[in-house]
């Protein structure tokens, strides 16, 4: 009997210890960054490449006031406890201001407050704007084993509230940092402005919508500047590449390999996007012209809404003539 009691007490102690350990484990943060066992710090060069060319995106391509361009990049390295923006979730006030107007003050304040409250932010980084739709900008960022995620936003200019970026990209793979990663970028709608075109006037979305990806068929409206119903997917409008920097014998960072040279114009390897001609509806028929008691003619017209590009379907005839009987003859 005493032996059975000893075994019971021993099992009870083990069970209590197991429950305590499991309870503690359940309070640990959950996320990909919780399993990063790589060296504590790593430094990366981040290169943003704009691919917003008139060849790839011919519809309503902004040529002036202002021409197609990119805002400065604003990004952060962080843990899974922080989120700058997420698809299908509501944009913060800071992301709204940045996506609509390119103003970063509120977003910076949100990042700083998150870092102070829950220690979820390791660092903030930024890169200069690009004055054309195609070009490059770059900067450096630092990640930490407890903060291995990267998020950033770049505003599409001009646009109602459109941007590109990455959300919580993990640069850590178990016990090591990724040497290089490239991501194709596609346009997103912040859900705070209801404009369809690059140059739409400010028209607030009430109630606010969630962040959604803009595709060649969504929003499904012919006025949408990215509406290309004959395409299966949009070509990437930009690309970001992150390259891990190594330390040389002096302890100074050196590029892992030769980075692409900065340029205001990037050779676009994307195939041309065909754009068919779009025309208006026919006008009403004009007056019948001709001699009395003889067959006359009347004409109706239409006009070009959108010129074709990149071997798209050409415009049809813009006027049409038919026979008629002159009216009001004496």
């Amino acid at each position: 009997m005493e032996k059975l009691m000893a075994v019971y007490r021993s099992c009870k102690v083990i069970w209590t210890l197991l429950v305590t350990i499991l309870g503690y484990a359940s309070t640990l943060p959950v996320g990909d960054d919780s399993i990063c066992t790589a060296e504590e710090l790593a430094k990366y060069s981040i290169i943003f490449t704009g691919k917003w060319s008139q060849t790839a995106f011919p519809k309503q391509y902004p040529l002036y006031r202002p021409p197609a361009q990119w805002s400065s990049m604003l990004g952060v390295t962080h843990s899974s406890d922080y989120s700058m923006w997420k698809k299908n979730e509501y944009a913060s006030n800071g992301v709204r201001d940045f996506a609509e107007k390119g103003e970063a003050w509120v977003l910076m304040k949100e990042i700083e407050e998150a870092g102070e409250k829950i220690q979820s932010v390791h660092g903030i980084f930024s890169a200069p704007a690009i004055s054309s739709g195609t070009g490059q900008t770059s900067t450096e960022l630092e990640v930490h084993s407890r903060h291995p995620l990267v998020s950033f936003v770049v505003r599409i200019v001009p646009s109602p509230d459109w941007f590109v970026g990455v959300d919580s990209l993990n640069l850590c793979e178990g016990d090591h940092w990724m040497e290089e990663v490239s991501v194709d970028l596609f346009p997103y709608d912040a859900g705070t402005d209801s404009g369809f075109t690059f140059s739409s006037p400010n028209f607030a979305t009430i109630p606010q919508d969630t962040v959604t990806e803009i595709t060649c068929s969504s929003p499904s409206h012919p006025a949408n500047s990215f509406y290309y119903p004959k395409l299966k997917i949009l070509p990437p409008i930009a690309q970001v590449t992150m390259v891990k920097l190594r330390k040389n014998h002096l302890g100074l960072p050196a590029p892992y390999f030769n980075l692409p040279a900065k340029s205001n114009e990037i050779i676009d390897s994307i195939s041309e996007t065909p754009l068919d001609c779009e025309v208006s509806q026919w006008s009403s028929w004009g007056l019948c012209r001709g001699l009395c008691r003889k067959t006359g003619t009347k004409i109706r017209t239409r006009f070009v809404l959108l010129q074709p590009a990149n071997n798209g379907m050409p415009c049809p005839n813009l006027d049409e003539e038919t026979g008629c009987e002159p009216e009001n003859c004496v």
Side-chain angles (χ1 to χ4, degrees):
M1 186 68 179
E2 290 180 359
K3 289 183 179 180
L4 289 174
M5 290 299 294
V7 171
Y8 169 77
R9 285 193 294 270
S10 177
C11 290
K12 187 176 180 180
V13 170
I14 294 172
W15 175 253
T16 302
L17 182 61
L18 182 60
V19 169
T20 302
I21 292 172
L22 291 174
Y24 170 74
S26 67
T27 65
L28 293 175
V30 178
D32 291 340
D33 53 317
S34 62
I35 59 173
C36 180
T37 57
E39 60 180 331
E40 193 172 54
L41 294 173
K43 203 166 192 178
Y44 283 81
S45 175
I46 178 170
I47 307 105
F48 176 88
T49 303
K51 295 187 174 184
W52 185 17
S53 69
Q54 192 172 9
T55 300
F57 301 92
K59 187 173 183 181
Q60 302 166 1
Y61 189 80
L63 294 173
Y64 48 85
R65 290 194 237 178
Q69 57 190 276
W70 300 95
S71 77
S72 58
M73 173 193 291
L74 181 60
V76 60
T77 57
H78 59 95
S79 69
S80 59
D81 295 319
Y82 171 78
S83 174
M84 174 181 274
W85 66 275
K86 280 190 178 298
K87 183 180 177 180
N88 298 326
E89 294 189 8
Y90 293 104
S92 68
N93 290 335
V95 171
R96 178 200 64 204
D97 285 358
F98 191 88
E100 288 189 13
K101 299 173 284 188
E103 296 177 358
W105 300 112
V106 177
L107 183 54
M108 289 281 289
K109 187 176 180 181
E110 290 173 352
I111 295 170
E112 291 171 358
E113 288 177 350
E116 292 173 0
K117 287 181 180 178
I118 54 178
Q119 302 296 308
S120 58
V121 172
H122 179 71
I124 300 174
F125 59 90
S126 64
I130 303 174
S131 60
S132 61
T134 57
Q136 283 187 338
T137 187
S138 64
T139 187
E140 293 182 359
L141 61 87
E142 186 179 76
V143 284
H144 187 274
S145 56
R146 294 194 302 274
H147 305 85
L149 308 181
V150 176
S151 296
F152 72 82
V153 287
V154 179
R155 181 177 181 246
I156 298 173
V157 183
S159 74
D161 61 341
W162 302 341
F163 69 95
V164 297
V166 297
D167 164 38
S168 303
L169 177 64
N170 195 345
L171 295 180
C172 182
E173 288 186 320
D175 61 352
H176 67 279
W177 295 103
M178 300 175 68
E179 293 292 343
E180 179 186 353
V181 58
S182 291
V183 180
D184 286 334
L185 304 177
F186 300 89
Y188 280 89
D189 186 323
T192 61
D193 193 294
S194 297
F196 273 122
T197 67
F198 296 119
S199 57
S200 292
N202 185 29
F203 185 65
T205 302
I206 301 175
Q208 181 177 332
D209 203 352
T210 58
V211 175
T212 56
E213 184 176 351
I214 301 172
T215 70
C216 55
S217 58
S218 178
S220 183
H221 194 292
N224 176 17
S225 292
F226 288 110
Y227 186 70
Y228 296 95
K230 289 189 176 181
L231 296 181
K232 291 184 177 179
I233 59 172
L234 283 176
I237 195 170
Q239 184 184 62
V240 65
T241 301
M242 281 166 267
V243 182
K244 185 175 181 290
L245 301 178
R246 289 181 176 174
K247 293 182 179 180
N248 60 23
H249 63 282
L250 296 176
L252 300 175
Y256 174 61
F257 71 95
N258 292 328
L259 300 179
K262 292 184 182 179
S263 171
N264 287 330
E265 293 296 329
I266 304 301
I267 298 175
D268 198 343
S269 60
I270 298 175
S271 59
E272 295 182 345
T273 300
L275 186 65
D276 296 341
C277 178
E278 294 182 12
V279 295
S280 67
Q281 297 294 320
W282 286 109
S283 67
S284 57
W285 287 102
L287 295 175
C288 185
R289 298 181 181 276
L291 300 175
C292 288
R293 292 177 295 278
K294 290 187 179 181
T295 301
T297 58
K298 59 182 179 180
I299 296 174
R300 63 178 181 175
T301 60
R302 56 187 173 183
F303 57 90
V304 175
L305 295 173
L306 190 65
Q307 292 288 348
N310 304 329
N311 297 315
M313 188 177 295
C315 295
N317 291 333
L318 300 179
D319 53 74
E320 188 175 65
E321 184 177 293
T322 189
C324 60
E325 292 293 332
E327 300 177 359
N328 302 323
C329 281
V330 178

